[in-house]
Amino acid sequence: MPTVEPQTDVNAEEIFELDSRYVMGTYARRRVVFVRGEGTTLYDSEGRAYLDFLAGIAVASVGHCHPRIAEAIAKQAHTLMHVSNLFHNAHQAKLAKRLCELTGMERVFFCNSGAEANEAALKIARKWGKQQRGDNCYEIITFHGSFHGRTLGTVTATAQPKYQKPFEPLVPGFHYAPLNDINAFRALLSERTCAVMIEPIQGESGIHPCDPDFLRAVRALCDEAKVLLIFDEVQCGLGRTGHFLGSQALGVQGDIVTLAKGIADGFPMGACLARGEAAYTLVPGDHGSTFAGQPLACAAALATLDVLEKEHLMERAAEIGAYFLERLRALQQAYPNRIKEVRGLGLMVGVELMQPKARAVLDSLFQQGIVANAIGDSTLRFVPPLVVTKADCDRVVQALQYALQPAL
């Protein structure tokens, strides 16, 4: 594993002890302290270098500490970091225009995370439904295996009992359909339905893309029933599929789109975008956020969009993603009793194992200097920065091949 000089002012054991004592135990952390990042590489406190194929879970979209983004943040930090949304700021208006042009939407509500973006979408949908068909039009359909956030509203929208059970009773008015089953979806539509929320590619359940024909059929049924179609693009948006939106890659347009994660390359930001009547549903007093769309976050996001476009990273994601999937599927053919399925689009890839050994494989990858993560017991997730190379993909495939030997 490559190394550099350790960061002597960081004592890893002290950090582990402080974390254990003072931080709520909501994460099963690996015992490592990362202190620096550059491009696709992370460095820990001992000076060890790691190839990052997780990117903070699809967050460091243009790589760690990209010079253009670091410069934009530093410059803005010396001028104006925050101003209330009771006033205008130039960066927010310019960013809204850029995002609308890239998505085909009309207006934006800025926030700080994906969960907040999805909460805004749910509130828009419910108010819109009541305006259209009265107080009983408030129900929302989501899909088994989905993940929409950890607030009480978005965890209700998340159709996975393991996330919901500790927090019951949940928010009323949600129904769940199997993914890619148009008949089951159709059966849930009613006069009480105001919206459908769906991820074009489900991330947290193991990288499950929607079938394009299914998504087009959902769009048609929403039009017929006059129901809003919400695309949760928090993980699959921002160029990861080779298009700015995952729904664009699958050829369908939503009425509302939510973004976060890679929108500002690691600086906390989210956005809920809408078109048509949905874009004009919220009025002053309906919704808000203290920190949302502040100048510092918007400067980071504008710089991130510049890098995405000027370095042609969306096109790169399509090319390198196709290569990575090809290499992984070749590995699957070589080890059919170890790899069950390789799924994904662009640089959003899941590898499902034949046995529940994902964490053992993950440990081996980490020991070889590869950062990824496991979804459940059997699926590995790879969502690297969009600046990865074919050589990086080759290294991960080689490391995975080695990991499969003893682990399985």
Side-chain angles (χ1 to χ4, degrees):
M1 186 185 298
T3 61
V4 296
E5 287 296 317
Q7 189 160 329
T8 56
D9 61 338
V10 176
N11 183 315
E13 291 301 323
E14 179 185 6
I15 297 301
F16 300 151
E17 182 180 348
L18 290 173
D19 185 273
S20 176
R21 182 173 178 182
Y22 294 109
V23 180
M24 289 189 184
T26 56
Y27 304 102
R29 299 190 199 272
R30 187 175 288 277
R31 288 178 66 82
V32 63
V33 181
F34 288 124
V35 296
R36 186 161 67 88
E38 183 179 356
T40 60
T41 306
L42 287 169
Y43 298 91
D44 70 12
S45 56
E46 305 305 311
R48 291 183 291 259
Y50 301 78
L51 176 60
D52 186 4
F53 259 58
L54 183 59
I57 312 182
V59 170
S61 55
V62 303
H64 295 283
C65 300
H66 192 288
R68 189 182 187 110
I69 297 166
E71 181 182 355
I73 291 172
K75 180 179 178 181
Q76 191 60 42
H78 283 284
T79 53
L80 181 65
M81 288 195 283
H82 177 78
V83 64
S84 168
N85 279 309
L86 296 174
F87 309 98
H88 292 279
N89 83 71
H91 288 318
Q92 186 180 118
K94 292 176 181 177
L95 177 59
K97 178 177 184 288
R98 291 275 296 275
L99 290 173
C100 286
E101 290 172 346
L102 286 163
T103 61
M105 298 290 114
E106 296 176 34
R107 302 181 99 182
V108 185
F109 172 80
F110 288 106
C111 50
N112 308 286
S113 68
E116 290 176 75
N118 285 335
E119 282 281 355
L122 297 176
K123 289 181 73 173
I124 291 171
R126 284 200 160 177
K127 183 179 179 184
W128 178 86
K130 290 173 181 286
Q131 290 176 337
Q132 296 298 309
R133 292 198 292 273
D135 287 347
N136 288 328
C137 183
Y138 65 90
E139 295 183 349
I140 296 169
I141 300 171
T142 65
F143 293 84
H144 295 309
S146 62
F147 184 89
H148 299 294
R150 295 183 184 273
T151 64
L152 197 55
T154 56
V155 84
T156 305
T158 294
Q160 296 195 58
K162 67 179 180 180
Y163 294 116
Q164 297 175 330
K165 191 68 176 174
F167 308 107
E168 294 175 341
L170 301 174
V171 177
F174 285 82
H175 299 285
Y176 313 117
L179 190 67
N180 292 326
D181 186 336
I182 196 62
N183 291 327
F185 167 70
R186 184 188 289 111
L188 290 176
L189 280 172
S190 75
E191 285 295 313
R192 300 168 69 94
T193 308
C194 65
V196 177
M197 177 178 274
I198 188 169
E199 301 157 276
I201 305 173
Q202 290 186 343
E204 295 300 320
S205 62
I207 315 297
H208 294 280
C210 287
D211 180 89
D213 290 337
F214 168 76
L215 215 53
R216 283 190 286 270
V218 168
R219 174 74 271 178
L221 285 171
C222 286
D223 290 340
E224 181 182 323
K226 296 184 179 178
V227 166
L228 295 177
L229 178 56
I230 304 168
F231 281 136
D232 176 348
E233 301 254 4
V234 169
Q235 190 165 153
C236 66
L238 283 306
R240 184 154 293 280
T241 63
H243 293 71
F244 190 74
L245 298 177
S247 51
Q248 291 170 336
L250 297 173
V252 183
Q253 187 177 34
D255 302 300
I256 300 175
V257 171
T258 59
L259 299 170
K261 288 193 180 290
I263 194 171
D265 200 47
F267 201 98
M269 169 172 267
C272 175
L273 301 94
R275 66 185 180 100
E277 293 174 345
Y280 300 87
T281 296
L282 297 181
V283 298
D286 280 344
H287 200 42
S289 174
T290 297
F291 297 106
Q294 45 114 300
L296 195 56
C298 290
L302 283 166
T304 300
L305 295 181
D306 285 343
V307 173
L308 273 175
E309 294 181 318
K310 292 178 180 179
E311 296 187 12
H312 306 289
L313 294 186
M314 288 183 278
E315 297 89 341
R316 184 185 185 86
E319 177 191 353
I320 303 299
Y323 176 80
F324 189 37
L325 284 164
E326 180 184 351
R327 289 296 318 276
L328 288 169
R329 285 172 177 148
L331 188 64
Q332 178 189 7
Q333 290 180 348
Y335 296 92
N337 61 332
R338 288 167 167 76
I339 299 177
K340 181 178 180 180
E341 187 178 14
V342 175
R343 299 183 293 266
L345 185 63
L347 286 171
M348 189 174 181
V349 176
V351 176
E352 186 173 348
L353 305 177
M354 294 294 290
Q355 298 180 25
K357 300 283 188 176
R359 284 169 177 78
V361 172
L362 200 65
D363 289 343
S364 175
L365 291 178
F366 193 79
Q367 290 164 11
Q368 296 177 73
I370 308 291
V371 175
N373 87 314
I375 299 173
D377 296 324
S378 301
T379 304
L380 304 170
R381 170 170 52 179
F382 300 101
V383 281
L386 307 188
V387 294
V388 294
T389 65
K390 290 182 178 180
D392 293 331
C393 295
D394 291 340
R395 180 179 164 193
V396 171
V397 172
Q398 184 178 9
L400 180 57
Q401 182 176 6
Y402 176 82
L404 290 173
Q405 307 291 330
L408 300 181

